Every structure is written in C-alpha cells, then in structure tokens.
Amino acid sequence: MNRKTLVLPAVLGLLVPVLAACGGTGGGQGGDGIVVGTTDRFTASKDAPAPLDPAYAYDVGPWNILRQTVQTLMVQPRGDGDPVPEAAEKCGFTDTGNERYACTLRDGLTFSDGDAVTAADVKYSINRALAIEADSGVFALLSNIDTIETQGEREVIFHLKTADATFPFKLSTPVAGIVDADEYPRDRLRDGFAVDGSGPYTLKSEVRGDELVKAVFTRNPKYKGALEVRNDQVEMVSYEDADAMGKALEEGDIDLMTRTMSPEQIRKLSEDSGDVDLIETPGLGIRYLAFDTTDPAVKSKAVRQAMAQIVNRSELVSKVYGSQAEPLYSLVPASITGHSNSFFNKYGEPDTSKARKLLEQAGITTPVALTLHYTTDHYGPATKDEFEVLRKQLNASGLFDVRIKGTPWSTFRPAEQKGEYQVYGMGWFPDFPDADNFLAPFLDKDNFLGSPYANRRIRTDLIPESRREADRLSAASSLQDIQDIVAEDVPVLPLWQGKQYVAARGDVTGTAYALNSSATLQLWELGRGVSG
C-alpha cells in the first residue's frame, strides 16, 4: 500500500510516552502479539525504587503501564469528553454543591488472581496513597478528599473538603487505582516492577539490573469493565534512539512506534511512500522552563520577566520543530477551555530593550549568569537543539550569560525535586483534559515540581473558585486570572505545545484510538486487519 499520513482531530487523542523496555523482539508481523516500540527508559533507583506503585507513579510512562493493568472507578473515553464508569457501574455527585460523590462497583469484579474487588479495596487503595504522601506529589490529586465511606460490598462515597467539579477526572487517574491489600502494604511503597490489579491486562516484567527490559501485556480473562479488548497480547520494546526504532518498524520487528520520533524522522515519514501510516493529532503536551524562585540568580522577578521578554518562541519552534509544534503563551494549551494568551498579552513580541529596562529598574547587574538544565533522554532527541536555541537567544541579548547542561532523566528528575537546579526544562502531558490540570499541579500546595513559589490568591481563592463550576466555561474568569498572575510572576515560562504522532504498519487497526485526549495509551484498541 502507499504510506499515508492520517491527520486526526483532537477528539481522537494524542501521542504520549509509553512503557520503556530494552532488547529485541520476536518480530512484530510474525507473531500473534502486537509489538510497540519506544525510546523511553523505565528504571528503578535509590531515589525512585517503586516506579509502578500507583501511590508513587506520576509520569506518563508508568501511568500507561498502570492504565492497562490497574482499574479505576472512572475512565476517560476514547476521544474527548467527561469520564465514564469503569470499575464502577455508576458514579455521580449526590448533592448540589459538588462535595459528595458516590460510586457503585460492578457486580462480580475481581482482581486478576480471582480475589473479589470490594468497596473496602477502593477505600484502602485511595487512603493508602494519601497516607504515604510519596515525594512524586501524585497524592495531591486526591488531597481534597476528606473521608471515604463504604456501604456494603459495592457502595463507595467520597466526602470532599471543598467543591470540585473535576473530581470524576481525578478518579480516572492511576493514583486512584484499586489495589489488593495483600500485595500493596498500607504504610510503604511496593518496590520493583510487579503490578497486580483488575485491569484489562496482566503484566509480565523482565528485569535486568534496575531496568525493565521487556514488558508483555496479556489479556486478563477475569476482567470486567467498560473496555473492549481487541487483542490477546501487546509487547513493548525500547530502543536506544529514534533511528533504531524507525529501522525496527521498517524491518517489521515492531508494528507501531510511539514516542519519541525525531523531527527529521517525522518529516521523512510524512513525505515517503511505503507501508507505514503516520497518524498526526493535535497535542495537549506542553514544554516549559521552570524556576527555583528561591535561588539567588532567579529570585528576583525581574530576571524571570526579562527572560520572558527575550525568548522568541516562534524562532525556537521554527528552527527545531517546524510544523510539528506551535508557540505557547500560557501553561494552558490553546485548545483547552479557559486558555488565555497571558504571556503574549503582557510581553508582546521579543524585545531586548524592554528586558534591559526591567533589569535596570530592579538593580540587577548584567550579564546574569545562569545554567539551563534539560533531560537528555525523556522528551526526545531534539531537546538539546531546543536548549541550544534558548541559550543563543538569551546570550545574544547581552543581558545573560547562559550555559546549558543535559542529564539523563533518572538523575534529572530526583535532582529537580531536590531543588538543585536554577532553571530547568520540563514537559507536561495532562492527567485529564481540563485547564485545572495545567495550573494546579504547578501552583497549588504539594505541587508536582516541588516549587517554592506560592501565590496566596491562586491557592486560597482562584483554584477553589474554578473548581466549583461544573460548567467549565463559567470558570473562565478565575482561570484567566491565574494565568495572568503566572505571566506577571513567571514561576514557569511556557514555550510550546506539540502535535503528536504514531507510526504503524498497515495491518495494525485501531491506531486512531490508540491515544485519547488526555494522553492515555489505550493498548486494548489495537488489533490486526486491513487498513484502507
């Protein structure tokens, strides 16, 4: 067949990181299982010994393992829209104030070993995540829960501290995954790579040293839920780089590749003929610079504002990503309800003279010496090029003396959490597709970054106000105020949002639904057949 590029609307989802595994495969086309390639790595370390525990995991890679294996009460649908019941038969708010949320479990639900799943298991699992308070910060998604009540074997009632219209979305995230008390201790994380749940697949992990080298997902015959599983097995394999992954796809060693393809590779796939389909979707994934606002070099707001005034997003995107990304002027992507171009509204086009004036008025001596840190192996092979462009832009102003430093993710993330970096580059794929999830994880208490930045109005007024509105359009005013404050204080500096890509051999079906709008990998959608 002639290779074709399929451009899909946002409702069909976007590409996200998947599980990392290393090593070879028995051949994607020759076996019954579908083989997925990735360049991600998945490791356990002294700082992160429990990468697959739902009470710890807070990255799209481990989350996409957990989404295949551990059930949640709710699940996000194929495309856009509100979450729907999964382990639950039904869920909903039972009061007018969005503070009491009740769920009824499906009848006959069991873990993969045959043990019954009960309301007590749901309560245990969520209370466990809240009690452990892992340093990943994932527990903060559930921190608005006051108490959990059970009635019989199947009824669970959540009493919230304050109104939260986004709570159903949070119950669809892996931190709310249902685990067995016999396998997951109450007061500590479960180290290693084993996962036990009631999801559509069971997981077989092959481990070499501290790395998961192969992962095989096998259909769980005891699964009861909302998902239709269209295959019996999916294997995930990790490659050293995008070129090696692409070669494996060309040679038929894998059936589908996800992240991270290089910009050059995507351009080639979009132009060449062959038997590979490139599926393009609008993206909700964003990239940004984050600041340790207590560090002497960037403690002054004027320094951060000057950087915001100098960075040329259009040039950055054009030189590094071309048509595969778009400039971003807020933490909230342009396609999300409540988005505001707050950074453009405040700073306009890049202007060195305005940046110089900001620094002079604050009494800052120039050039300001800074190190911009980035991860070498988590956001794709173009990350180094991106930071080279940022370095050149800032240094060309004469106001900064910037150097850049790349570090592997296994070292980068723990160092970032410990506050070792002045300025560092990060990416974000949403926990769920709502503006709240692009703001609260960075600005609220117990935030994902461990950022020392705290704005009282955002935390005590604006975030709670926005969550009270079930109609998200009605929350736009509060959301815009938050974005305007971020543009003023610059605890983070948004850079761009990307389009997303999947490349698959022509006999793989379901690729349009392999990813949903909140970056969830849906392996159960993949099958074999004839594509047109």
Side-chain angles (χ1 to χ4, degrees):
M1 62 175 285
N2 289 327
R3 198 218 51 76
K4 54 188 177 294
T5 299
L6 306 178
V7 182
L8 301 176
V11 70
L12 294 185
L14 62 160
L15 182 63
V16 296
V18 296
L19 161 69
C22 298
T25 170
Q29 291 183 300
D32 293 330
I34 294 170
V35 185
V36 176
T38 179
T39 60
D40 283 333
R41 292 291 186 267
F42 198 86
T43 59
S45 67
K46 181 180 178 181
D47 292 309
L52 297 185
D53 191 319
Y56 176 83
Y58 202 12
D59 191 23
V60 281
W63 268 26
N64 278 322
I65 301 171
L66 294 172
R67 292 185 191 276
Q68 320 306 316
T69 53
V70 178
Q71 273 188 297
T72 48
L73 291 170
M74 305 291 285
V75 68
Q76 293 171 51
R78 271 182 168 186
D80 220 345
D82 294 334
V84 297
E86 190 353 31
E89 180 181 277
K90 61 180 180 179
C91 285
F93 284 105
T94 60
D95 65 334
T96 58
N98 292 338
E99 294 182 352
R100 187 180 188 274
Y101 195 80
C103 293
T104 302
L105 289 177
R106 292 178 184 271
D107 190 23
L109 203 64
T110 66
F111 291 108
S112 59
D113 65 1
D115 290 347
V117 175
T118 68
D121 292 306
V122 176
K123 179 177 180 178
Y124 174 87
S125 302
I126 293 178
N127 278 339
R128 173 179 179 269
L130 289 169
I132 289 175
E133 288 193 356
D135 59 12
S136 66
V138 69
F139 70 92
L141 283 170
L142 304 175
S143 61
N144 193 34
I145 296 174
D146 187 14
T147 59
I148 304 174
E149 175 188 354
T150 61
Q151 295 182 358
E153 296 291 301
R154 297 172 57 200
E155 302 293 328
V156 186
I157 302 169
F158 298 93
H159 300 275
L160 307 183
K161 298 174 185 176
T162 59
D164 187 0
T166 70
F167 187 67
F169 283 105
K170 293 170 182 176
L171 287 183
S172 73
T173 62
V175 68
I178 307 167
V179 300
D180 190 337
D182 292 336
E183 304 292 342
Y184 291 82
R186 180 183 299 274
D187 57 355
R188 61 181 175 83
L189 296 171
R190 181 183 181 182
D191 293 354
F193 298 100
V195 178
D196 293 282
S198 56
Y201 296 97
T202 59
L203 173 68
K204 179 181 178 182
S205 300
E206 295 184 19
V207 180
R208 183 181 303 138
D210 61 358
E211 187 170 7
L212 188 61
V213 297
K214 182 178 289 188
V216 179
F217 296 97
T218 302
R219 183 201 292 257
N220 175 12
K222 295 183 173 63
Y223 169 71
K224 290 184 178 182
L227 308 175
E228 181 180 351
V229 183
R230 303 173 190 273
N231 57 66
D232 291 326
Q233 189 176 93
V234 179
E235 178 180 331
M236 289 185 176
V237 180
S238 178
Y239 292 88
E240 184 177 351
D241 54 40
D243 289 339
M245 180 172 63
K247 183 178 180 181
L249 184 66
E250 291 174 5
E251 295 180 352
D253 291 335
I254 61 176
D255 300 295
L256 181 148
M257 65 179 179
T258 57
R259 86 168 226 142
T260 300
M261 293 177 259
S262 68
E264 294 78 11
Q265 188 177 51
I266 293 169
R267 282 193 288 268
K268 184 174 183 294
L269 283 169
S270 66
E271 296 168 358
D272 292 352
S273 297
D275 59 354
V276 174
D277 296 334
L278 181 68
I279 297 94
E280 174 190 299
T281 61
L284 295 182
I286 68 170
R287 296 292 185 274
Y288 58 95
L289 293 178
F291 298 87
D292 177 357
T293 54
T294 63
D295 186 277
V298 294
K299 184 175 183 179
S300 171
K301 181 171 66 174
V303 174
R304 307 192 300 269
Q305 289 178 329
M307 292 177 69
Q309 187 66 71
I310 291 169
V311 168
N312 188 327
R313 295 169 178 81
S314 296
E315 180 187 58
L316 173 66
V317 168
S318 176
K319 286 188 173 181
V320 181
Y321 298 102
S323 62
Q324 299 162 28
E326 298 176 350
L328 181 64
Y329 297 92
S330 170
L331 282 172
V332 180
S335 57
I336 293 289
T337 299
H339 164 82
S340 173
N341 282 318
S342 296
F343 273 81
F344 188 84
N345 295 339
K346 180 169 180 60
Y347 299 100
E349 297 293 343
D351 191 319
T352 297
S353 63
K354 290 182 179 179
R356 180 177 292 106
K357 185 175 181 180
L358 286 167
L359 295 172
E360 289 175 349
Q361 289 176 340
I364 304 296
T365 301
T366 59
V368 179
L370 294 175
T371 298
L372 271 57
H373 295 264
Y374 66 94
T375 177
T376 57
D377 58 357
H378 197 66
Y379 297 123
T383 305
K384 182 179 180 181
D385 295 337
E386 176 181 341
F387 274 72
E388 285 285 2
V389 172
L390 289 170
R391 180 183 66 81
K392 290 177 181 178
Q393 288 181 355
L394 291 166
N395 287 350
S397 71
L399 303 176
F400 290 90
D401 179 13
V402 170
R403 60 188 295 264
I404 61 174
K405 184 176 181 179
T407 308
W409 179 254
S410 59
T411 303
F412 176 92
R413 177 62 171 147
E416 174 272 311
Q417 289 176 307
K418 294 174 183 176
E420 296 179 7
Y421 298 150
Q422 299 171 318
V423 190
Y424 52 98
M426 292 284 285
W428 181 253
F429 295 87
D431 306 328
F432 49 88
D434 186 276
D436 177 86
N437 193 241
F438 291 90
L439 298 172
F442 308 99
L443 306 170
D444 210 352
K445 183 182 177 182
D446 300 319
N447 62 77
F448 163 73
L449 295 173
S451 171
Y453 173 78
N455 182 283
R456 182 182 297 274
R457 183 169 177 238
I458 288 177
R459 291 186 177 181
T460 62
D461 298 329
L462 295 175
I463 289 177
E465 283 176 12
S466 70
R467 289 175 175 171
R468 283 195 287 269
E469 301 293 346
D471 178 357
R472 301 312 284 159
L473 280 172
S474 299
S477 177
S478 299
L479 295 169
Q480 181 171 336
D481 286 349
I482 295 172
Q483 292 167 82
D484 289 346
I485 292 171
V486 171
E488 169 66 27
D489 291 350
V490 201
V492 292
L493 178 57
L495 298 172
W496 56 271
Q497 67 182 90
K499 298 176 184 177
Q500 309 295 332
Y501 299 88
V502 172
R505 301 192 67 82
D507 66 338
V508 179
T509 61
T511 54
Y513 299 103
L515 302 139
N516 77 359
S517 64
S518 63
T520 298
L521 183 68
Q522 302 180 140
L523 294 179
W524 52 86
E525 294 284 356
L526 300 178
R528 290 196 185 276
V530 178
S531 60

